Amino acid sequence: MLFKKICSIAFLLLFCASAFAVEFNPANQKEMTLNIELKTSVYFSGTVEENDSLKIEMLSLNDFEGQEILELNETLLAGNEIIKPTYKIIEGNKYALFEVKNLINYAENPELQIITKARIKTTAIVNPVTNDFPLNYGISSNQEFLQESKYIEVNSQTLKSKAELEFTEKSELEIIKHIVEWVNENINYDYNYYEVINSAETTYKLKKGVCDEFANLTAAFFRIKGIPAKYIVGISFDGKQWGNHGWLEVFMPAHGWLGIDSTYGEAMYLDATHITLGKFFDASQASMKIELPEKIKIETKNELPLISIENQKTFEKELIIQESTFAKQAGLNEEITLKISATNPSNEFKILPLELVVHDDFQVLDKKK
């Protein structure tokens, strides 16, 4: 349920009694200062001749909403040589351009290493909605983000049928919540899909994947329902480690582009662990581009990002928990009902990620129940 003033709980419940020991929770992060190191290795092979060169175009860190670059240093290491990039901006995305001349000089050790070191400040993006939009009116702007793309098949009859039967609300706000919630609950997160990208239709059939699959399927449902959706490439913390990540932005009249992450169940809200690299029509547009002679072959390898937290701030009083009641004891197979009353202190609609934390001493026999 959406809520205004008095709220009903959506997604996961952020309820932490003071006696509970709570680990680092990405959803709680309001503001962070981070030190980042990214490494990409490029290996070349084949026949290398005099004057052969190699050009690389790759995404670089840039200022976006909720993200400020405080320091940035990018280099390409070729043998003992350090090569600095030039930069260009295309449709709001920043690219680092490296050129390695006389490639034959590095043929004995054919590994090039690109290292990005940065210090950035991130702030959670909270998009309270004051004006809902009735989808039967149709969204007239940003129509290009309703179209079919490589990984987002809006013309799939399977996906169109599902969207028509499942997502029937007239309110854009309710549709956004319903789609994000459905994908989050019905697609199983599976690390076996980390090295591949499956399309929306394939994900719907397999019912599993990682962030790319979650984002592709979510975007397909949005576009089918007439809601423009962008694909965002970046980095985030999944509760265990920092890694490459994909999520979305959707367009809402009167509010613009709003953050959506169905992998984590976040809608109109992105926690401060989200680090944006680029915004695209489709994930296929985000790949590194390498220009070189046809007789030379290339392999690339991306290492997991190394990120340290310099400082951080968490959210406080986004919700006011007024009371909670629950049974003090229960017999075998007896159900316990937990009732919570909460107030939204603002005068705006919010969709918040929430989590129920169970005390370490509590023995859970059936985790689903």
Side-chain angles (χ1 to χ4, degrees):
M1 295 290 289
L2 300 173
F3 48 87
K4 191 169 185 178
K5 285 297 184 182
I6 301 298
C7 61
S8 297
I9 305 306
F11 310 138
L12 306 167
L13 179 63
L14 260 179
F15 171 71
C16 305
S18 59
F20 294 177
V22 182
E23 297 179 355
F24 175 81
N25 186 340
N28 285 340
Q29 303 308 306
K30 184 176 183 179
E31 183 179 298
M32 308 181 81
T33 301
L34 304 168
N35 294 292
I36 301 173
E37 183 173 323
L38 308 176
K39 289 184 180 180
T40 299
S41 295
V42 179
Y43 304 91
F44 64 91
S45 61
T47 304
V48 183
E49 300 177 354
E50 289 286 344
N51 300 320
D52 280 346
S53 64
L54 179 149
K55 295 181 180 179
I56 298 174
E57 178 182 300
M58 62 181 291
L59 281 170
S60 178
L61 288 163
N62 196 15
D63 290 342
F64 286 103
E65 180 186 7
Q67 178 172 303
E68 180 185 0
I69 309 303
L70 304 176
E71 299 173 21
L72 178 64
N73 180 35
E74 294 182 294
T75 57
L76 184 150
L77 304 181
N80 295 321
E81 186 177 358
I82 298 176
I83 299 172
K84 301 293 290 184
T86 57
Y87 293 96
K88 66 178 180 181
I89 304 291
I90 303 176
E91 297 181 349
N93 298 321
K94 183 178 180 181
Y95 294 86
L97 311 175
F98 295 95
E99 182 175 9
V100 183
K101 299 178 180 179
N102 299 317
L103 200 59
I104 196 170
N105 293 340
Y106 315 105
E108 291 185 4
N109 182 22
E111 178 185 358
L112 311 174
Q113 192 172 70
I114 301 171
I115 300 175
T116 296
K117 293 184 178 181
R119 181 171 173 266
I120 72 172
K121 178 181 178 181
T122 60
T123 305
I125 303 172
V126 181
N127 299 117
V129 175
T130 54
N131 294 299
D132 198 358
F133 184 79
L135 283 176
N136 55 301
Y137 287 173
I139 298 175
S140 59
S141 56
N142 296 292
Q143 289 282 303
E144 65 273 23
F145 290 99
L146 295 177
Q147 305 305 312
E148 174 116 356
S149 64
K150 180 177 180 180
Y151 293 115
I152 304 170
E153 305 106 322
V154 298
N155 296 322
S156 162
Q157 193 56 52
T158 299
L159 297 180
K160 290 170 75 173
S161 296
K162 176 62 180 177
E164 182 178 350
L165 292 172
E166 180 75 30
F167 311 116
T168 58
E169 297 88 346
K170 303 301 181 184
S171 153
E172 183 179 5
L173 198 58
E174 291 284 359
I175 284 281
I176 289 172
K177 173 191 171 292
H178 191 172
I179 290 175
V180 171
E181 193 171 46
W182 189 93
V183 174
N184 180 264
E185 292 178 353
N186 289 277
I187 305 302
N188 296 313
Y189 196 92
D190 189 336
Y191 276 108
N192 291 321
Y193 292 84
Y194 192 78
E195 298 296 332
V196 300
I197 300 179
N198 282 327
S199 71
E201 186 172 28
T202 301
T203 302
Y204 178 74
K205 292 176 179 178
L206 294 176
K207 294 294 189 294
K208 52 188 174 182
V210 291
C211 59
D212 295 318
E213 286 72 37
F214 278 71
N216 289 332
L217 181 57
T218 306
F221 284 145
F222 281 138
R223 291 181 183 179
I224 288 169
K225 297 303 293 185
I227 301 174
K230 287 182 182 180
Y231 188 95
I232 314 301
V233 172
I235 298 165
S236 77
F237 188 82
D238 65 6
K240 295 181 179 179
Q241 64 181 16
W242 293 91
N244 300 321
H245 191 53
W247 62 96
L248 303 174
E249 286 182 354
V250 298
F251 184 78
M252 195 170 188
H255 294 285
W257 291 96
L258 310 176
I260 299 289
D261 191 339
S262 56
T263 306
Y264 301 154
E266 297 180 353
M268 271 79 87
Y269 162 79
L270 292 176
D271 64 70
T273 70
H274 286 73
I275 302 166
T276 300
L277 285 168
K279 304 183 179 185
F280 301 94
F281 176 62
D282 186 85
S284 60
Q285 299 176 328
S287 58
M288 176 189 294
K289 298 177 182 178
I290 300 178
E291 180 183 326
L292 72 167
E294 291 185 3
K295 59 184 180 294
I296 302 175
K297 296 181 180 180
I298 285 290
E299 291 184 10
T300 62
K301 179 183 178 182
N302 294 314
E303 297 185 16
L304 284 173
L306 297 176
I307 297 180
S308 61
I309 302 172
E310 188 174 308
N311 57 63
Q312 65 193 91
K313 294 181 181 178
T314 57
F315 280 103
E316 295 180 2
K317 296 183 179 179
E318 291 300 306
L319 282 181
I320 299 173
I321 305 297
Q322 294 171 302
E323 61 180 278
S324 61
T325 59
F326 56 93
K328 302 300 181 183
Q329 62 183 16
L332 184 64
N333 294 324
E334 183 178 344
E335 183 179 288
I336 296 176
T337 300
L338 173 66
K339 295 182 179 180
I340 297 173
S341 178
T343 300
N344 172 9
S346 73
N347 193 33
E348 300 162 323
F349 289 105
K350 292 181 180 178
I351 300 177
L352 298 175
L354 301 162
E355 181 181 5
L356 177 65
V357 179
V358 179
H359 195 284
D360 291 338
D361 292 340
F362 191 87
Q363 185 178 8
V364 181
L365 300 178
D366 184 335
K367 291 187 177 181
K368 287 186 178 180
K369 292 184 179 179

